[in-house]
Amino acid sequence: MSFYDDASLVFLPSGGAGKDTKAYSIKPTNGDGDFTFSRGSNLTATRVDSNGLIEKGRENLLLQSNQFDTTWTTSSASVTSGQGGYDGSTDAWLLEATGTSSTRVQQTISTDSVQTISVYAKKGTSDYFQIRLTGASTAFAFFDLANGTLGTLSNQVDASITSVGSGWYRCSLTRVGAATSARIYVTGNNTTSVTSGDNIYIQDAQLEQGLVATEYIESGATTGKAGILEDSPRFDYSGGASCPSLLLEPSRTNIVPISEGIPEDTIQVTLTENYGTSPEGVQNSLKVQKNGVSASDRIFPIDNYNATLVSGTSYSVSAFVKNIDVDGITTIGCRLGSGGTLFRLGYQWSGSSLTKATEYSAGTRTNEILEDYGNRWWRIGFSFEADNTQGGIELDIDRDNGSATTSIETYGWQLEEGSYPTSYIPNHSGGSVTREAEENTTANISSVIGQQEGTFFLDFEFLDGATAENQNWIALESEDGQSRVLFYKSASSNNLRLLNSQDGSTFFNKSSLIAISPNTRYKVAVRYSSGDQGVAVNGSMSGNNGTSTYTRTSLLSRVKFNESNIQPSCRVHQAIVFESGLTDSELETLTS
Amino acid sequence: MKLTRKYEFVDEAEANEAIDLLRDEEGNLTQSVVKLGYLTIEPPVIDEEGNTIKEAVVSTKYAVDVSWSITPLESWNNAMVFPTPMGIHSFGSSSQRDEYAKAYCELKPDSEYCNPPEITEE
């Protein structure tokens, strides 16, 4: 038999088919079996894309990003559309001084913390222009468009000018702090002095959170968005997978106020922002060089005791690191407040390779991670139980060689409440941010779900095997939840369980299908036919079959990945529904 | 669209009483709730040897944020607070962030956040 031909609903995330709010099933082909997906977070959810790079949600916070006569206002300047652009279009604008000072186009904004503004520019009669973000601490950068070099800078974290050909440059300015307006000035030279009639060409302005200008997103009356949107299903290629799985994670909060590039504090290190290419594939890693003072030359993504913790609660700390020239041990640690414990784990560098070390490790740790993110990047970290209400994060560059002046690159610091680390949650806000839990549910599709007989197959892996949490309640169920074909893990054990009920009465259940291990793939299938039930796990029938009979009045009507509002924590590879009950042999084949 | 709203309670027990109103018949939460706890108002001062020179100043109120997918419960209103929308916890949604900032400025139109000072040209 062909399982695909016989199935009435087939959900294969390996196809990566979906869009904002939707994860498509490949069967039924009319779209009735498509899932409605929701999360509600567009700037904190990430996935690993098909290139092995971390993909974020991105947003151009400017309105009318290439319509400089709308929303934008001018001061002693004019803007004229229809100019030849960097992209071969005629979408560029001429920005020309009509006065001798403050000659600019500007837009009122309201941003906070780490932000980068960028614009494409080309010299006109003037060689220079300036980008300025005003606020309590105004930052600006002058750019020399004749020579492609930076001019005078002030209050910036970073600035850059990059040639894109034909005399055009993409120019950017990065700053930290609240900003109230974004301004582009035509200037006569490396100061604000200008002559009426001086002009330059500009195109495609962008303001975004983060340390670096990313690919341009057009905006109009609303901000422009790209990447992982608020309700985008995450088809994830973590671990070098050739096919994606649907990543479903519980709500988590990254407590690190700025998770890239700007640690809260340092001891005896020299920092270089936007040094190299991060796991995101853009140039926003932080180089940290020891000053060679002691083994404790370090950065604090969260300064000593600045994080508010709950004693007795589990937390997970993680960071991305890449070696430059360390020949020793990098450590990641959480130092808890007065009387609290130092939790720390060491990692031994051997060139670009990294292994866990026993030296310098401290405190009781669980779920230690060492994940290869490619391009010599590693994600490191662990989980621990807090024994104090205050804590911080420290990353020691090389505890083996105190007097060395060696360096690493780092990126993506995270401290989250939870007994295991979840996917990276970027944060540029200066506060903490929460990635909300994910939901994935079909509409009412009772017509393609067998009621008196049928089969439900799942191919998935748990992200956690914790015993104290309800996890991954995935079900075929009725709208009122009274009829269920439910795979689940309860808070009382780490066993995968099965529950079949109709109209509130259980007729076939298994409380111990298999002991769950995290990041391990399980294939389970249940035949729930009246008078004939059976379940297979990973190619073998599990325990005794059932013979209960029932008449279903509360119809199974949907597939739901967060049954009973239990937040999912898994990767889904396949979910298949059959309107008929497969035989034991077929169940074993299907789950092999 | 979901709404972010912020709340302060006397203690965790009082917060839990309110949170229990958001549970379904099986005891599971129906809204996204983040218990921020007793927030640090002023961080501690630590010297280079790691000694605490000055203890942190911690709020006496227990903070909770909710991302509402329904109209916020009226019973929560007494605990609602509106801290300035800078450097605070948020749910990772730009639309929720903007809505919160708008609500803040409707409630506090004279605040500095809603009336940024004019920038004088240098």
Side-chain angles (χ1 to χ4, degrees):
Chain A
M1 68 174 290
S2 162
F3 289 123
Y4 173 80
D5 288 342
D6 290 350
S8 55
L9 184 148
V10 180
F11 178 55
L12 290 178
S14 59
K19 64 175 184 178
D20 203 31
T21 75
K22 285 291 181 188
Y24 298 133
S25 294
I26 62 172
K27 199 175 180 182
T29 56
N30 63 2
D32 284 353
D34 292 345
F35 287 78
T36 297
F37 185 92
S38 68
R39 178 180 48 248
S41 311
N42 65 326
L43 298 176
T44 55
T46 61
R47 68 159 183 162
V48 174
D49 69 15
S50 57
N51 298 311
L53 301 173
I54 291 174
E55 182 183 16
K56 297 175 175 173
R58 301 184 297 118
E59 185 169 22
N60 186 349
L61 299 167
L62 293 173
L63 304 179
Q64 307 293 351
S65 57
N66 194 45
Q67 194 66 40
F68 292 102
D69 59 356
T70 304
T71 305
W72 297 83
T73 59
T74 55
S75 168
S76 301
S78 65
V79 288
T80 307
S81 62
Q83 314 296 320
Y86 70 92
D87 53 358
S89 70
T90 55
D91 294 339
W93 294 69
L94 184 74
L95 173 60
E96 184 166 282
T98 57
T100 57
S101 66
S102 303
T103 49
R104 65 179 186 263
V105 61
Q106 72 176 55
Q107 183 170 138
T108 299
I109 59 174
S110 176
T111 61
D112 192 9
S113 203
V114 185
Q115 66 231 256
T116 296
I117 184 171
S118 59
V119 66
Y120 290 88
K122 179 182 177 181
K123 74 182 290 294
T125 60
S126 178
D127 290 347
Y128 281 87
F129 87 113
Q130 182 201 105
I131 300 175
R132 178 179 289 229
L133 286 171
T134 67
S137 173
T138 293
F140 64 79
F142 283 89
F143 300 89
D144 178 349
L145 297 170
N147 298 298
T149 56
L150 294 172
T152 303
L153 307 174
S154 178
N155 285 333
Q156 85 293 350
V157 172
D158 196 17
S160 70
I161 179 167
T162 304
S163 173
V164 294
S166 304
W168 281 92
Y169 295 88
R170 193 178 196 195
C171 304
S172 71
L173 168 68
T174 302
R175 76 182 285 274
V176 178
T180 54
S181 77
R183 300 180 176 184
I184 303 168
Y185 290 74
V186 54
T187 62
N189 50 33
N190 200 21
T191 71
T192 52
S193 108
V194 65
T195 302
S196 182
D198 283 351
N199 60 56
I200 60 164
Y201 299 93
I202 58 173
Q203 188 179 354
D204 291 352
Q206 180 153 295
L207 176 67
E208 58 197 302
Q209 291 189 351
L211 284 159
V212 68
T214 62
E215 186 178 352
Y216 173 68
I217 309 163
E218 185 92 14
S219 72
T222 59
T223 61
K225 295 176 182 175
I228 303 297
L229 305 179
E230 290 201 1
D231 294 316
S232 295
R234 293 185 291 168
F235 297 108
D236 187 79
Y237 292 79
S238 287
S242 56
C243 293
S245 53
L246 179 66
L247 178 61
L248 297 167
E249 291 183 306
S251 177
R252 288 291 180 93
T253 300
N254 189 358
I255 304 170
V256 180
I258 297 175
S259 64
E260 298 165 16
I262 304 174
E264 280 201 331
D265 200 2
T266 64
I267 292 179
Q268 295 296 341
V269 294
T270 302
L271 304 181
T272 307
E273 290 89 3
N274 292 346
Y275 171 80
T277 303
S278 75
E280 195 182 332
V282 298
Q283 190 174 332
N284 62 351
S285 76
L286 177 70
K287 178 185 176 185
V288 188
Q289 181 175 21
K290 278 171 60 63
N291 289 348
V293 174
S294 77
S296 298
D297 296 353
R298 63 176 57 133
I299 63 169
F300 297 94
I302 300 179
D303 203 359
N304 265 333
Y305 314 156
N306 269 7
T308 300
L309 308 178
V310 178
S311 194
T313 298
S314 293
Y315 290 86
S316 297
V317 63
S318 57
F320 294 84
V321 292
K322 178 180 180 179
N323 196 16
I324 295 179
D325 57 359
V326 171
D327 186 20
I329 293 178
T330 293
T331 62
I332 183 170
C334 281
R335 190 180 296 271
L336 273 58
S338 180
T341 300
L342 167 64
F343 298 93
R344 189 166 66 191
L345 180 58
Y347 292 86
Q348 173 77 54
W349 290 108
S350 176
S352 61
S353 297
L354 194 60
T355 53
K356 277 189 266 187
T358 54
E359 296 91 336
Y360 314 116
S361 298
T364 301
R365 306 165 311 280
T366 57
N367 286 330
E368 297 171 351
I369 61 168
L370 175 59
E371 297 171 352
D372 185 351
Y373 268 71
N375 301 314
R376 297 159 49 206
W377 278 98
W378 301 85
R379 193 181 193 200
I380 60 174
F382 58 86
S383 305
F384 63 96
E385 185 176 308
D387 55 7
N388 198 282
T389 58
Q390 295 171 330
I393 304 176
E394 51 193 46
L395 197 62
D396 297 2
I397 310 311
D398 184 0
R399 290 204 65 83
D400 252 359
N401 301 289
S403 61
T405 56
T406 48
S407 311
I408 63 168
E409 289 178 69
T410 182
Y411 163 90
W413 312 309
Q414 187 154 308
L415 179 61
E416 57 190 308
E417 181 181 326
S419 59
Y420 63 101
T422 62
S423 64
Y424 175 47
I425 302 169
N427 185 13
H428 308 286
S429 72
S432 54
V433 293
T434 296
R435 179 195 60 231
E436 293 198 60
E438 293 164 315
E439 300 180 11
N440 198 39
T441 308
T442 64
N444 186 328
I445 50 169
S446 59
S447 62
V448 301
I449 299 175
Q451 303 297 335
Q452 292 305 114
E453 65 170 307
T455 302
F456 184 33
F457 166 68
L458 275 179
D459 174 0
F460 70 136
E461 55 188 288
F462 283 70
L463 300 178
D464 178 33
T467 57
E469 292 178 38
N470 288 309
Q471 290 176 341
N472 297 324
W473 291 36
I474 302 173
L476 284 178
E477 66 169 9
S478 57
E479 295 287 335
D480 61 8
Q482 292 299 299
S483 291
R484 295 191 291 187
V485 180
L486 169 68
F487 288 108
Y488 71 111
K489 191 194 85 64
S490 75
S492 62
S493 81
N494 66 339
N495 285 318
L496 176 61
R497 297 178 163 188
L498 169 68
L499 174 73
N500 283 262
S501 64
Q502 60 86 21
D503 299 341
S505 299
T506 299
F507 66 88
F508 180 60
N509 70 327
K510 297 282 185 182
S511 61
S512 182
L513 284 174
I514 194 167
I516 295 159
S517 296
N519 304 309
T520 302
R521 198 162 168 176
Y522 297 102
K523 294 181 180 180
V524 293
V526 56
R527 178 182 65 248
Y528 55 85
S529 307
S530 179
D532 181 17
Q533 298 93 40
V535 57
V537 180
N538 292 345
S540 300
M541 293 302 291
S542 178
N544 299 325
N545 288 355
T547 56
S548 299
T549 59
Y550 65 87
T551 300
R552 182 101 61 195
T553 55
S554 184
L555 297 182
L556 301 172
S557 60
R558 63 186 177 188
V559 181
K560 190 172 176 64
F561 283 81
N562 60 317
E563 208 275 341
S564 295
N565 292 313
I566 301 295
Q567 299 183 6
S569 175
C570 62
R571 293 179 183 281
V572 179
H573 297 272
Q574 301 177 75
I576 301 178
V577 174
F578 299 86
E579 291 183 282
S580 60
L582 302 185
T583 65
D584 286 3
S585 172
E586 289 169 337
L587 291 179
E588 290 180 333
T589 301
L590 183 61
T591 58
S592 294
Chain B
M1 186 186 77
K2 292 182 177 180
L3 297 179
T4 295
R5 290 295 180 264
K6 295 172 173 290
Y7 303 89
E8 285 185 350
F9 297 92
V10 171
D11 53 24
E12 185 174 11
E14 186 181 272
N16 285 337
E17 284 181 23
I19 291 168
D20 284 344
L21 299 175
L22 307 180
R23 297 186 188 279
D24 62 17
E25 60 275 11
E26 292 181 291
N28 301 311
L29 282 171
T30 60
Q31 305 298 308
S32 183
V33 175
V34 175
K35 295 163 79 170
L36 300 171
Y38 299 98
L39 293 172
T40 300
I41 298 171
E42 288 181 26
V45 178
I46 314 289
D47 69 13
E48 290 196 354
E49 279 74 49
N51 303 309
T52 303
I53 306 300
K54 185 184 175 194
E55 294 286 346
V57 178
V58 177
S59 172
T60 58
K61 296 293 184 67
Y62 191 88
V64 175
D65 280 8
V66 181
S67 175
W68 295 96
S69 60
I70 58 173
T71 302
L73 297 187
E74 285 187 13
S75 59
W76 278 65
N77 285 352
N78 287 341
M80 193 183 301
V81 292
F82 273 90
T84 306
M86 293 172 60
I88 58 175
H89 170 264
S90 65
F91 294 89
S93 160
S94 53
S95 53
Q96 285 190 65
R97 178 196 61 205
D98 293 346
E99 190 282 331
Y100 177 81
K102 184 179 177 189
Y104 174 88
C105 287
E106 287 174 356
L107 193 69
K108 302 180 180 182
D110 299 327
S111 65
E112 184 177 348
Y113 174 83
C114 305
N115 299 277
E118 282 294 314
I119 304 299
T120 55
E121 206 58 52
E122 294 154 22

